[in-house]
Amino acid sequence: MIRDPEHEKMSRKQLEKLQLERLQARVKDVYEKVPFYRRVFKGKGVTPDDIKTMADLKKLPFTSKIDFRDNYPYGLMTVPLEKVVRIHSSSGTTGKPIIAPYTEADVDMWSEVMARTLASAGMTRHDVMQNAYGYGLFTGGLGFHYGCERLGATVIPTGGGNTKRQILLMQDLGTTVITCTPTYALILNETAKEMGVDLRETKLRLGIHGAEPWSEQMRKDIEERIGISAINVYGLTEVIGPGVSVECEHKNGMHIWEDHFLVEIINPATGEQLPYGQEGELVITTLTKEAQPVIRFRTRDITKLIPETCKCGRTMVRMARITGRSDDMLVVRGVNVFPSQIENVLLEVEGVEPHYLIVVDRHDAFSTEDLEIWVEVSEAVFSDEMQKMEKLEKKLRAEMDSVLGISARIKLVEPRTIARTEGKARRVVDRKDLKNSGLITK
Ligand code: AMP
Ligand code: ZN
């Protein structure tokens, strides 16, 4: 359902006019109120008056997580603390967390874009939404919560964890929509099975999943195992939290709410803007956020923009599934490897579970000589004869070779060796940290 057709179906011309007005206002605001922005604007020899058309956007400097760290905690705000009604937070690059403050108007805007997001995913006011995203500092819990209330549907604020209770509530309260990370959706299903519950027989019909990378294969897995339609949703703390973009019923890229979030794709190495359709790093400028707007924030997320009008009638551009981050990319003997590629292979091979760990011997931030992939096998294969395990290992090795373009060692491990996380899954670990990482159970 289209909640806000006036905006969601706006003509591109009208939209660009609105974006430009809002951009000019934001740029003026940060320039006047935030010393950091004044300094970096001056560094590039640009003032708010130089932003006359959308093409001038590229004159503005980029911002990144490092700027959040350097201006921690309140250095990027355009309002006094008295106007802030809430603060969320996420982990930063090193040490200091990322702070996300919201004014009353920000919470209102966020609730509205989240209501739009939920409607686009297929929810209506008749739904009962069990919200298993983490509440607290993480933006997921409260973001979905406020959006659900704004839509007028029913929210059950379970938060993450206590999985057995989640299943009981789901059955008793007639939950129709589950919101959680894709990994947690699979955990819910495993636990349900252990309890003798088939989620396909409950009222559950829709899952809205995001906050971590996942693949098309994983979607199929979730949809088949749980018997729901699974929708991809995207967002990040620095920009607002969840609600930046979401798929519609056509599941063909996530519509970006461009009246609030202005997007560009750049070449991560050079910073040069790339045309629609080309893969690169997503850069976002917030157009309406008050407390802490961001200008040209480098998300590090790799995607491409799909400009064609969608069958649903929305004119807002779509972004493709995130294929990796320009900073979690691994370079193995000179070859770029994204964890999502490995996941795709695993999900296609019979007899393995979608739980895996990439163990590396890193010599700098992302280069490694050796790649070892720990893969959990299914209960059935594990209790079978050795020969089957060997065959499986060989098959996985061959598949990885052909997809990744490099050879990787495969280590088949017992069911439940890899620790389940309720939040975002961590897939890459240094061998020297493995023991104390909490990522394995034994
Ligand atoms: P946080 O600010 O802690 O919520 O983390 C935001 C990051 O999570 C994004 O920059 C992405 O890297 C990742 N993320 C969020 N949603 C998705 C999604 N649907 N697909 C892939 N990655 C996602
Ligand atoms: Zn659409």
Side-chain angles (χ1 to χ4, degrees):
M1 200 195 71
I2 299 186
R3 175 177 171 84
D4 180 356
E6 190 197 328
H7 289 105
E8 292 176 61
K9 295 173 88 168
M10 206 171 215
S11 77
R12 296 300 300 178
K13 206 171 149 201
Q14 254 182 316
L15 178 67
E16 268 181 33
K17 187 166 167 273
L18 179 70
Q19 285 181 319
L20 182 61
E21 280 166 22
R22 289 180 168 178
L23 175 68
Q24 286 167 331
R26 273 315 47 109
V27 166
K28 194 159 172 283
D29 211 30
V30 297
Y31 189 80
E32 281 168 6
K33 294 176 184 155
V34 186
F36 160 79
Y37 279 109
R38 203 170 319 130
R39 202 174 62 243
V40 292
F41 278 34
K42 281 190 175 147
K44 284 209 82 180
V46 55
T47 68
D49 293 336
D50 294 322
I51 307 303
K52 295 197 172 69
T53 70
M54 279 312 225
D56 295 325
L57 178 64
K58 58 179 179 294
K59 294 181 181 162
L60 295 170
F62 291 116
T63 52
S64 73
K65 268 194 198 292
I66 292 169
D67 302 315
F68 278 75
R69 183 194 64 196
D70 293 347
N71 294 284
Y72 178 83
Y74 296 136
L76 295 178
M77 281 183 4
T78 60
V79 298
L81 194 53
E82 298 89 87
K83 286 202 74 182
V84 170
V85 298
R86 197 196 300 168
I87 296 173
H88 281 288
S89 169
S90 161
S91 49
T93 40
T94 50
K96 299 287 185 209
I98 301 287
I99 294 295
Y102 303 75
T103 62
E104 206 177 334
D106 290 338
V107 171
D108 187 68
M109 178 273 277
W110 190 19
S111 306
E112 189 49 42
V113 292
M114 273 310 296
R116 229 193 240 185
T117 296
L118 298 179
S120 169
M123 252 179 84
T124 72
R125 46 190 305 280
H126 303 293
D127 277 301
V128 176
M129 181 187 103
Q130 190 160 325
N131 187 17
Y133 281 109
Y135 279 74
L137 284 173
F138 177 51
T139 54
L142 287 176
F144 275 84
H145 186 106
Y146 273 61
C148 184
E149 289 187 347
R150 176 65 64 98
L151 186 67
T154 308
V155 58
I156 309 173
T158 50
N162 213 332
T163 310
K164 277 194 179 144
R165 190 183 60 190
Q166 303 255 12
I167 307 290
L168 293 176
L169 286 172
M170 210 173 260
Q171 292 176 291
D172 293 347
L173 304 184
T175 302
T176 57
V177 180
I178 178 76
T179 52
C180 60
T181 61
T183 316
Y184 195 59
L186 288 172
I187 295 173
L188 277 167
N189 186 52
E190 270 184 2
T191 307
K193 261 181 32 200
E194 280 166 17
M195 294 165 67
V197 176
D198 185 348
L199 289 181
R200 286 173 299 192
E201 281 161 16
T202 63
K203 287 196 175 154
L204 218 51
R205 64 175 192 88
L206 179 66
I208 310 175
H209 309 298
E212 65 182 12
W214 55 314
S215 58
E216 208 49 50
Q217 270 304 318
M218 188 144 173
R219 179 193 335 248
K220 275 205 195 107
D221 235 54
I222 291 174
E223 292 190 331
E224 279 165 21
R225 292 187 189 192
I226 308 185
I228 56 175
S229 171
I231 292 282
N232 197 4
V233 62
Y234 170 84
L236 62 164
T237 309
E238 293 88 343
V239 169
I240 186 100
V244 172
S245 66
V246 67
E247 289 173 331
C248 63
E249 68 271 26
H250 298 289
K251 299 182 188 170
N252 196 5
M254 297 178 275
H255 286 284
I256 300 167
W257 304 131
E258 291 178 281
D259 48 337
H260 298 283
F261 312 110
L262 179 63
V263 293
E264 305 162 70
I265 296 288
I266 62 160
N267 174 333
T270 64
E272 167 210 5
Q273 272 182 349
L274 296 175
Y276 280 148
Q278 266 193 44
E279 189 159 89
E281 181 181 330
L282 181 70
V283 172
I284 305 179
T285 299
T286 59
L287 296 175
T288 51
K289 203 168 65 163
E290 257 184 12
Q292 188 173 270
V294 286
I295 304 290
R296 300 194 88 197
F297 181 72
R298 291 190 56 164
T299 65
R300 301 287 171 188
D301 292 322
I302 304 292
T303 182
K304 63 180 177 194
L305 298 178
I306 309 164
E308 294 80 24
T309 303
C310 183
K311 278 189 244 159
C312 69
R314 289 180 181 85
T315 49
M316 307 251 150
V317 297
R318 285 163 287 159
M319 55 187 262
R321 193 179 276 287
I322 307 278
T323 53
R325 283 178 64 86
S326 60
D327 58 359
D328 85 350
M329 185 177 74
L330 288 166
V331 183
V332 189
R333 300 189 288 275
V335 177
N336 296 351
V337 174
F338 289 106
S340 55
Q341 296 174 295
I342 294 174
E343 186 182 294
N344 265 324
V345 171
L346 294 182
L347 285 159
E348 272 165 20
V349 174
E350 182 105 355
V352 300
E353 292 293 312
H355 299 290
Y356 67 99
L357 203 56
I358 303 164
V359 182
V360 296
D361 300 287
R362 249 188 269 240
H363 34 243
D364 60 40
F366 53 78
S367 307
T368 176
E369 275 301 299
D370 206 2
L371 190 67
E372 189 178 87
I373 306 168
W374 288 32
V375 182
E376 245 181 50
V377 296
S378 66
E379 205 75 62
V381 170
F382 190 69
S383 49
D384 226 316
E385 71 279 61
M386 218 36 209
Q387 223 188 345
K388 277 229 173 107
M389 292 270 280
E390 272 167 19
K391 237 174 107 188
L392 185 59
E393 189 192 317
K394 225 169 128 194
K395 179 163 186 203
L396 278 170
R397 210 167 40 211
E399 286 283 317
M400 290 293 175
D401 277 11
S402 86
V403 172
L404 306 178
I406 45 145
S407 60
R409 268 185 292 144
I410 304 288
K411 181 171 164 158
L412 295 180
V413 297
E414 292 182 43
R416 303 204 155 267
T417 304
I418 295 165
R420 308 292 193 254
T421 48
E422 277 143 18
K424 288 168 195 267
R426 232 180 90 202
R427 307 292 196 189
V428 183
V429 64
D430 276 27
R431 189 180 306 279
K432 60 180 176 355
D433 302 330
L434 186 59
K435 263 216 172 97
N436 300 319
S437 65
L439 296 174
I440 48 176
T441 56
K442 44 198 98 162

